[in-house]
C-alpha cells in the first residue's frame, strides 16, 4: 500500500488483487450516510485494469472513497470480447467474475484497514463489462451489505454476448460442455429475483452502438429487476462497448464516452450518498449555462449540473466537468 490518506490515490493489494483508491476530494459535498466507499471493477475490454478505469471514470465529485479493484486472474494483455468464442477464454472470464464476487468480503476488509475506514456500514458497487457482471453477482449473493450500485455495459449473459460476437465475426464458438455450463451459470437474468430482493437502487448504463452487450440487454434486465420489485433505472448513450482506447491497460486521458459515463455515475452516486456543502447551491446557480448531454436516452432524467462547473475547455464534450482531483495520477 502507498499514498496519502488525505488527498492522493492509495495503491495496494487486497485478497491478492491490485487496487487504486481515489480519496473523497470533492469540495462541494460531503458524505450523507454510512457509505464511505464504492468498489469498482474494470472489464476484459478497455479499460482493463484498475488504474486505467480510475483514470477513465474517476467520479471525482462523489465525496466517498472510490476503490478500483482488478479482476482476479486478469492476463497482462487483457482478454477482449473477441476471444469469448474460445473455451479457455470463457472459462477465464467466468472464473474472474465469480472469484471477484467471492473475494469481495476479504478484499473489502483489507481495503478498509488500509484506508482506516470503519469496518461496518454498507458499500457502493460499480463495474464495467465483466466488472459490471461481478458487481451484480456480488449483489445477488449478498456477501457484503450494499447501499447502491451502478453498472456500465454489464455482460448480462455470456452466451448471448458470444452469439453477438459470432454474428459479427463469422466465427463459431468452440466451447466445451463444461465451459457452456459455466457461462449459463452467469446468466444474470436468472438472478434477477435475488438482485431485486436486496432492495438496492441500481443504475444500468448501456451503449446504443454496443455490439457486445446491446442496449436491449440492459433494458431487458432493468425490466426484469422491476418485475421482481427492484429499484432499477437505465440510461443509454450513443457509444460502443469500450470506454478507453486499446490496449486499455495504462492510465490515459478519458475518451468522450468515458466522460459522459463518468458524469452519469457521478450524479447517480451523489444524489444518494452526498449532501451539498454550504454555499454549493449558490455556486452552481452562478455557473454557466447548463451543458447537459443530449447524447443520453432512456428512462433516467437528463444529467443536470449538480457539482463543479461545465468545462469550456473540454472540446465541447457533453457532460464534461471540472472539479477538485481531476488531475490525480493513478
Amino acid at each position: 500500500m502507498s499514498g496519502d490518506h488525505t488527498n492522493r490515490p492509495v495503491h495496494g493489494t487486497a485478497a491478492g488483487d491490485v487496487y487504486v483508491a481515489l480519496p473523497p476530494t470533492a469540495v462541494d459535498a460531503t458524505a450523507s450516510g454510512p457509505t464511505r466507499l464504492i468498489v469498482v471493477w474494470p472489464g476484459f475490454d478497455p479499460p482493463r485494469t484498475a488504474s486505467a478505469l480510475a483514470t477513465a471514470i474517476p467520479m471525482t465529485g462523489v465525496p466517498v472513497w472510490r476503490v478500483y479493484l482488478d479482476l482476479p486472474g486478469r492476463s497482462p494483455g487483457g482478454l477482449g470480447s473477441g476471444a469469448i468464442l474460445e473455451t479457455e477464454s470463457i472459462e477465464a472470464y467466468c472464473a474472474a467474475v465469480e472469484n471477484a464476487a467471492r473475494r469481495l468480503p476479504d478484499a473489502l476488509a483489507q481495503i478498509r484497514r488500509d484506508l482506516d475506514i470503519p469496518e461496518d456500514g454498507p458499500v457502493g458497487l460499480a463495474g464495467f463489462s465483466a466488472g459490471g457482471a461481478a458487481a451484480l453477482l456480488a449483489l445477488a449473493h449478498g456477501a457484503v451489505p450494499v447501499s447502491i450500485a451502478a453498472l456500465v455495459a454489464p455482460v448480462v449473459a455470456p452466451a448471448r454476448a458470444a452469439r453477438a460476437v459470432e454474428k459479427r465475426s463469422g466465427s463459431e464458438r468452440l466451447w466445451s460442455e463444461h465451459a457452456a455450463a459455466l457461462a449459463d451459470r452467469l446468466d444474470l437474468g436468472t438472478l434477477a429475483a435475488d438482485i431485486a430482493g436486496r432492495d438496492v437502487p441500481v443504475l444500468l448504463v448501456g451503449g446504443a452502438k454496443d455490439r457486445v452487450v446491446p442496449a436491449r440487454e440492459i433494458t431487458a434486465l432493468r425490466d426484469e429487476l422491476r418485475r421482481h420489485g427492484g429499484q432499477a433505472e437505465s440510461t443509454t448513450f450513443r457509444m460502443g462497448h469500450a470506454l478507453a482506447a486499446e490496449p486499455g491497460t495504462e492510465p490515459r486521458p478519458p475518451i468522450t464516452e468515458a466522460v459522459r459515463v463518468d458524469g452519469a455515475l457521478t450524479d447517480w452516486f451523489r444524489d444518494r450518498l452526498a449532501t451539498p456543502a454550504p454555499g454549493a447551491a449558490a455556486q452552481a446557480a452562478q455557473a454557466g449555462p447548463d451543458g447537459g448531454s443530449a447524447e443520453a436516452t432512456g428512462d433516467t432524467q437528463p444529467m443536470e449540473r449538480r457539482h463543479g462547473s461545465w468545462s469550456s475547455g473540454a472540446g465541447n464534450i457533453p457532460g464534461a466537468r471540472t472539479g477538485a482531483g481531476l488531475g490525480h495520477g493513478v
Side-chain angles (χ1 to χ4, degrees):
M1 180 191 71
S2 64
D4 187 314
H5 279 48
T6 57
N7 59 13
R8 293 184 179 181
V10 173
H11 299 257
T13 302
D17 300 311
V18 172
Y19 73 81
V20 178
L22 302 185
T25 54
V27 297
D28 61 343
T30 58
S32 60
T35 302
R36 288 294 182 267
L37 66 86
I38 301 167
V39 176
V40 193
W41 283 289
F44 276 18
D45 286 281
R48 293 183 165 106
T49 64
S51 59
L53 186 60
T55 302
I57 308 177
M59 296 184 279
T60 306
V62 183
V64 304
W65 285 93
R66 288 91 63 220
V67 181
Y68 300 78
L69 182 63
D70 271 344
L71 288 171
R74 184 189 62 82
S75 61
L79 175 63
S81 56
I84 199 173
L85 303 183
E86 302 168 5
T87 284
E88 183 177 347
S89 297
I90 190 62
E91 288 179 345
Y93 166 87
C94 293
V97 171
E98 292 189 331
N99 285 334
R102 179 179 57 81
R103 294 183 188 182
L104 180 58
D106 291 340
L108 187 57
Q110 180 63 58
I111 291 166
R112 281 174 158 156
R113 287 193 294 270
D114 289 350
L115 303 182
D116 195 23
I117 297 175
E119 295 189 5
D120 57 354
V123 299
L125 293 180
F128 158 66
S129 190
L136 285 169
L137 186 62
L139 181 56
H141 289 173
V144 301
V146 178
S147 60
I148 184 172
L151 305 316
V152 182
V155 179
V156 180
R160 289 199 295 274
R163 282 198 293 272
V165 173
E166 281 181 311
K167 182 177 180 180
R168 184 173 77 245
S169 66
S171 301
E172 293 185 2
R173 246 177 297 179
L174 300 173
W175 289 1
S176 66
E177 290 185 7
H178 175 67
L182 291 176
D184 288 344
R185 193 164 71 193
L186 285 180
D187 185 333
L188 298 174
T190 64
L191 300 177
D194 295 325
I195 297 169
R198 302 299 173 190
D199 196 28
V200 171
V202 173
L203 173 65
L204 300 166
V205 179
K209 301 178 181 179
D210 194 331
R211 295 190 295 177
V212 178
V213 184
R216 63 179 179 275
E217 290 267 322
I218 301 300
T219 54
L221 179 60
R222 177 205 64 197
D223 293 344
E224 189 68 6
L225 292 174
R226 288 178 173 177
R227 189 174 71 84
H228 289 283
Q231 304 176 55
E233 296 182 30
S234 70
T235 190
T236 302
F237 289 93
R238 294 188 182 97
M239 65 182 190
H241 191 68
L243 292 176
E246 291 284 2
T249 55
E250 300 296 330
R252 292 289 184 270
I255 64 174
T256 301
E257 291 83 354
V259 173
R260 293 171 182 152
V261 170
D262 182 66
L265 265 60
T266 296
D267 285 348
W268 174 256
F269 285 115
R270 278 177 64 100
D271 280 352
R272 292 154 181 83
L273 301 180
T275 297
Q283 179 184 359
Q286 293 172 0
D290 195 325
S293 170
E295 298 289 333
T297 61
D299 69 335
T300 55
Q301 295 298 314
M303 288 186 294
E304 299 174 0
R305 174 175 41 75
R306 296 190 179 96
H307 62 282
S309 60
W310 298 110
S311 171
S312 60
N316 295 321
I317 296 172
R321 304 168 189 267
T322 59
L326 282 177
H328 277 325
V330 298

